[in-house]
């Protein structure tokens, strides 16, 4: 008690407060709602234009994997955030459902690995971009197996590259800018990222 | 004002409504794996039939509402199938007979069959999802994961609390959009649109964080973080229906994969 | 944490006394304390009402009593606070949590579970109650809150009043000795508020809990209180005294700090100038001569439906006709779910009615012919913004810019001169002039999200000042504001109305009705009353009518028999 948020000891680092859990879950819910609201026409347009173009849009789905950890700075935040987002979209009537859990797991794990390598200590744009790329690789792995297995190698390479580029731009750069904007609003004051 | 779609809930007790969600997750995963490991359309076709039968006889879900729920999926399935056929690696194989020629694109038999398999696969995933999540609500799912799989309960119930707030978040989203329109903000051009979307998303996230802080404080005030091992108001136990469901679903998955045509 | 320490108070905790000794708390990152130097002693089983303006630290005190401050929220603690002999800062949060129940203001961010019985059980599960005790505990707590039979209901289907009574059941279930309620009725319509106070009156009479109540609805809360604690706008203690014997000086200080002050106390006082209630009463008795201005907005036979769930289409509005004229202020009232928000959204063209029409037009300028009435849902965003504005209950959802200054100029920049209302883009001087007139001059470069609640509300009004829309819709414009904040908002609205603006206020606060020219009452999607505030207050068109008529002045729960409610532990 009686302390301003002090330097972060490793025991404290691994301890999720209730507010950390709920904020990651609720951010994932918020993203789920936004995706649901945008989903209809983003998907409709994307799939109309073919898989490579569609892949450029998929980065948006990975935002929780980078935004959540950048805010709460706790181990597992990328994985937890993506899994909750997957559950939410399943419950909001996404038709992929079960499969979303699988892709969420891969995407979250891809980003989590990057944060793990930094020992959960670095939260700069470079790390954000690497984590986004990790999430993108996880997503590409899933999509190439589940959605696009029959396509020729050149096509699959293009799809994978498009997904990773999209992740880097939308999630790495966009997500980092979003967290910076959030910090400026003062909404992150109870989190390590808001100090 | 935007209203989230009401979840599809069972209208009568049925075999699957008496199974635990964890068991259905295991059972459903068998079908998911069977559907994605092969490009032979007969496998998802068989699973599709099995899923229809299971939904009809054992899910307790209102069948008449299912087609409307899945309708938005139709477009995605169509495009996925068409593009899988058009871009298939089999089309480049000169040893295969040409089935159709659309302009410069040559289409082979294996391409069509793989495309059908991928389209059907998505349908099977959607129906299996309904069978897993449909028969009970999210609360049962959390109870089940915590009690049967020992998922950390603070994460499970923290997520559940956040899910309860989803309809209010949808209301916030609509309100934010309305507020911006009423201020005369009508972005023109792609850059302005992206900026506008970013601004709207930012306000949404601020609202989510504010709600999360209030909710977390209320949960802590009720001892959520007291470090005591929680007890369970509603107890769930693995029962014979669970085992039967798992065994049957694995049998069906194996049959779909390995029974010769 | 070992299993042996789960120590569940399955028998009721006896009500504790509260003793604060020079208590101060500063939130992490703030320089000024939220509360400073509080010193008082409340005896066991008494009811304390805490009064003070916005920013007086009332909620902070509530959090300290529940141990959230200092154990969950970071900051600096000084002095002492003992609850039942336990020093809060030195007692583990878990032990405090077993003895203290805290009810918050917003029902939708304190309920956790989707079903009523699960919801009550949540706190008991956290405290590791054995299952059989949980089952009986849930049943008893729901009975105490007047919610027997609600066990299987989904919490999202409850009314606001039911949700708050559920929140009370949640904390009662754990059998705390101390009950802390932080503005539990602020979000509620009059019947919901009435039902909550009915329950609180029963609890207070039993003396089985020490109760700390923070409330703006003073006429309802004061009769329950044994003691009152008065705080000023900087979190200092003005007085701690028996509710019936508050010194004249303390009341004057409280009034000056901007807080709501009970009418009973003001009776003997010379009314402070500009106080809302006298001002409101003047407006009502003087009968503002309404110049029936030009028709600005007309909704005719409007029907609004929402997409189906299991039960089929939900009808939010059915055959609603309302017209609003220039210079007129209309109050829109009705219970939660009566269709107030849907009507506001339909009036603003944000949802298209399934049937019926909405038409509006800009304010005609002197010597010019009025433009034809137009369908708002067919107007462009720019045309719409020039004609109608909507101030939301939560101002944050409406912010569009990064600084207060840009927030004020955003609409004007977007509207520009395109529709002929004005060819001038806003200059910085004009913008800063608006900020200054709304008391926000020193905050021009501040980020809107960082402002206080009252400042945010004023900014949301200031944002519509450079290009005032012909019709202004406001959803609960005084929600969460103290007396000073409410007066400030009404003064700003008065100025606009004089210039011909039509205003529609959706509100639960009966105190605002006399400041309006007309009241339109909705019930289940239909208009059930359209007439003067006096006529509305004389005979509210609801059954029962009493919560609407004397919603601000209650204390005698009619028709409730405390003996009929099972006493604690008597099962």
């Amino acid at each position: 008690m009686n302390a301003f948020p002090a330097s972060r000891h490793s025991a404290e680092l691994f301890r999720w407060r209730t507010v950390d859990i709920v904020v990651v879950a609720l951010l994932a819910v918020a993203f789920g709602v936004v995706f649901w609201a945008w989903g209809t026409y983003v998907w409709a347009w994307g799939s109309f234009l073919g898989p490579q173009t569609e892949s450029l849009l998929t980065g948006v789905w990975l935002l929780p994997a980078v935004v959540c950890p950048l805010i709460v700075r706790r181990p597992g935040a990328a994985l937890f955030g993506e899994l909750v987002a997957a559950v939410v979209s399943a419950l909001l009537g996404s038709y992929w459902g079960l499969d979303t859990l699988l892709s969420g797991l891969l995407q979250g794990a891809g980003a989590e690995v990057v944060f793990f390598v930094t020992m959960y200590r670095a939260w700069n744009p470079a790390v954000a971009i690497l984590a986004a790329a990790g999430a993108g690789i996880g997503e590409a792995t899933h999509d190439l197996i589940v959605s696009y297995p029959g396509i020729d190698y050149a096509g699959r390479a293009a799809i994978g590259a498009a997904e990773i580029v999209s992740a880097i731009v939308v999630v790495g750069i966009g997500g980092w800018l979003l967290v910076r904007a959030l910090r400026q609003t003062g909404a992150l004051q109870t989190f390590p990222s808001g100090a | 004002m935007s209203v989230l779609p009401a979840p599809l809930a069972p209208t009568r007790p049925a075999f699957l409504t008496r199974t635990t969600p964890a068991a259905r997750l295991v059972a459903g995963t068998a079908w998911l794996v069977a559907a994605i490991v092969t490009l032979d359309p007969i496998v998802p076709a068989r699973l599709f039939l099995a899923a229809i039968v299971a939904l009809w006889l054992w899910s307790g879900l209102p069948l008449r509402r299912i087609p409307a729920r899945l309708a938005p999926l139709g477009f995605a399935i169509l495009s996925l199938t068409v593009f899988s056929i058009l871009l298939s690696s089999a089309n480049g194989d000169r040893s295969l007979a040409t089935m159709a020629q659309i302009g410069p694109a040559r289409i082979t038999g294996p391409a069509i069959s793989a495309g059908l398999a991928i389209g059907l696969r998505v349908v099977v995933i959607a129906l299996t999802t309904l069978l897993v999540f449909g028969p009970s609500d999210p609360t049962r799912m959390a109870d089940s994961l915590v009690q049967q799989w020992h998922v950390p309960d603070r994460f499970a119930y923290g997520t559940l609390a956040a899910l309860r707030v989803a309809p209010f978040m949808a209301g916030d989203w609509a309100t934010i959009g309305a507020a911006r329109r009423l201020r005369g903000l009508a972005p023109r051009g792609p850059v302005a649109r992206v900026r506008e979307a970013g601004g709207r998303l930012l306000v949404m996230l601020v609202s989510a964080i504010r709600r999360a802080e209030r909710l977390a404080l209320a949960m802590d005030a009720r001892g959520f973080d007291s470090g005591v091992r929680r007890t369970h108001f509603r107890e769930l136990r693995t029962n014979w229906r669970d085992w039967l469901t798992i065994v049957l679903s694995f049998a069906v998955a194996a049959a779909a994969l390995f029974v010769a045509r | 944490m070992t299993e042996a320490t789960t120590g569940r108070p399955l028998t009721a905790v006896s009500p504790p006394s509260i003793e604060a000794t020079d208590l101060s708390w500063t939130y992490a990152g703030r320089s000024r304390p939220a509360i400073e130097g509080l010193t008082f002693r409340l005896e066991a089983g008494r009811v304390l009402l805490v009064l003070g303006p916005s920013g007086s630290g009332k909620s902070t005190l509530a959090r300290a009593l529940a141990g959230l401050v200092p154990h969950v929220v970071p900051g600096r603690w000084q002095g002492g606070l003992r609850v039942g002999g336990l020093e809060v800062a030195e007692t583990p949060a878990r032990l405090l949590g077993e003895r203290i129940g805290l009810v918050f203001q917003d029902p939708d961010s304190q309920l956790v579970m989707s079903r009523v019985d699960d919801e009550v059980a949540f706190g008991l599960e956290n405290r590791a109650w054995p299952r059989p005790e949980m089952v009986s505990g849930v049943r008893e707590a729901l009975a105490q809150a007047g919610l027997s039979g609600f066990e299987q209901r989904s919490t999202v289907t409850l009314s606001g009043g039911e949700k708050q009574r559920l929140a009370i059941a949640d904390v009662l279930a754990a059998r705390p000795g101390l009950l802390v309620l932080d503005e539990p009725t602020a979000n509620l319509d009059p019947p919901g508020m009435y039902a909550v106070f009915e329950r609180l009156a029963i609890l207070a009479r039993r003396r089985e809990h020490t109760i700390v109540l923070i409330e703006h609805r003073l006429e309802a809360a004061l009769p329950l209180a044994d003691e009152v604690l008065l705080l000023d706008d900087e979190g200092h203690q003005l007085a701690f005294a028996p509710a019936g014997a508050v010194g004249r000086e303390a009341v004057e200080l409280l009034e000056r700090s901007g807080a709501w002050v009970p009418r009973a106390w003001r009776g003997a006082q010379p009314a402070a100038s500009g106080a809302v209630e006298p001002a409101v009463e003047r407006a009502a008795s003087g009968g503002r001569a309404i110049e029936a201005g030009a028709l600005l907005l007309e909704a005719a036979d409007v029907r609004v439906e929402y997409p189906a769930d299991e039960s089929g289409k939900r009808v939010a509005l059915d055959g609603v006709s309302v017209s609003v004229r220039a210079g007129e202020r209309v109050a829109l009232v009705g219970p939660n779910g009566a269709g107030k928000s849907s009507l506001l959204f339909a009036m603003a063209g944000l949802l298209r009615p399934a049937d019926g029409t909405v038409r509006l037009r800009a304010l005609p300028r002197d010597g010019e012919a009025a433009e034809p009435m137009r369908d708002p849902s067919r107007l462009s965003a720019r045309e719409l913004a020039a004609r109608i504005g909507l101030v939301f209950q939560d101002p944050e959802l409406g912010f569009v810019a990064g600084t207060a200054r840009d927030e004020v100029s955003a609409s004007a920049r977007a509207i520009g001169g395109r529709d002929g209302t004005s060819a001038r883009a806003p200059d910085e001087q004009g913008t800063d002039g608006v900020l200054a007139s709304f008391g926000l001059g020193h905050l021009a470069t501040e980020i809107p999200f960082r402002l206080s609640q009252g400042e945010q509300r004023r900014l949301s009004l200031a944002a519509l000042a450079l290009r005032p829309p012909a019709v202004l819709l406001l959803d609960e414009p005084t929600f969460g504001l103290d007396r000073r904040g409410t007066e400030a908002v009404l003064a700003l609205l008065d100025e606009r109305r004089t210039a011909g603006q039509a205003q529609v206020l959706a509100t639960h606060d009966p105190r605002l009705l006399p400041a309006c020219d007309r009241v339109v009452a909705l019930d289940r999607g239909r208009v059930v009353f359209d007439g003067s505030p006096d006529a509305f207050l004389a005979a509210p068109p609801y059954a029962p009518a009493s919560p609407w008529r004397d919603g601000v002045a209650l204390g005698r729960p009619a028709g409730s028999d405390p003996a009929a409610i099972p006493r604690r532990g008597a099962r």
Side-chain angles (χ1 to χ4, degrees), chain A residues 74-98:
Chain A
R74 291 287 191 284
L79 207 51
F80 179 45
E82 270 299 327
L83 276 178
V84 177
V87 170
V88 172
S89 69
L91 292 168
L92 291 185
S94 154
Y95 316 98
W96 318 93
L98 265 188

Side-chain angles (χ1 to χ4, degrees), chain C residues 260-299:
Chain C
W260 291 107
V261 172
R263 219 177 283 158
W265 294 356
R266 268 210 342 252
Q269 314 288 328
S273 60
V276 162
E277 280 151 354
V280 158
E281 281 150 19
R282 260 201 319 279
S285 56
R288 211 177 70 92
I290 306 167
E291 291 283 322
L295 184 66
L296 292 185
L297 187 151
E298 185 168 42

Side-chain angles (χ1 to χ4, degrees), chain C residues 154-305:
Chain C
S154 159
T155 51
V156 291
T157 66
L158 303 181
S159 72
E162 288 164 350
K163 284 178 187 170
Q164 284 303 70
R165 281 187 286 146
L166 178 57
I168 292 173
D170 288 344
V171 301
L172 286 179
R175 296 183 186 137
L178 170 60
L179 212 53
V180 183
L181 303 111
D182 187 358
E183 300 197 25
T185 69
N187 275 308
L188 304 185
D189 56 25
M193 181 190 79
Y194 193 88
V196 166
F197 272 104
E198 204 171 73
R199 290 293 138 184
L200 290 180
I202 294 168
L203 289 171
R205 222 175 291 137
R206 282 207 201 134
R207 302 270 170 212
E208 287 168 353
H209 303 85
T210 305
I211 298 178
V212 175
L213 177 60
I214 297 166
E215 254 304 332
H216 276 322
R217 317 260 189 152
L218 303 178
E219 316 308 330
L222 193 59
L224 305 183
D226 299 308
E227 265 86 31
V228 292
L229 173 66
L230 312 187
L231 302 173
D232 73 6
D233 51 359
E234 298 196 316
H236 300 121
Q237 180 169 333
L238 291 173
F240 175 81
V246 181
R248 189 193 177 92
E249 196 191 347
V251 173
E252 266 168 27
L253 285 171
L254 185 67
E255 181 125 40
R256 212 171 301 151
S257 76
W260 291 107
V261 172
R263 219 177 283 158
W265 294 356
R266 268 210 342 252
Q269 314 288 328
S273 60
V276 162
E277 280 151 354
V280 158
E281 281 150 19
R282 260 201 319 279
S285 56
R288 211 177 70 92
I290 306 167
E291 291 283 322
L295 184 66
L296 292 185
L297 187 151
E298 185 168 42
D301 242 355
V302 168
R303 180 182 174 88
V304 168
E305 296 166 349

Side-chain angles (χ1 to χ4, degrees), chain B residues 183 210 222 230 233-234, chain C residues 118-119 126 396 407 411:
Chain B
R183 296 289 296 282
R210 303 262 203 252
R222 289 169 69 194
R230 296 177 96 247
F233 179 61
R234 286 212 240 161
Chain C
D118 288 340
E119 168 61 26
N126 291 338
E396 286 196 335
E407 189 66 41
S411 292

Side-chain angles (χ1 to χ4, degrees), chain A residues 135-149:
Chain A
I137 290 169
E139 188 197 21
T141 310
H142 167 271
D143 288 358
L144 293 180
I145 294 171
V146 176
S147 302
Y148 309 115

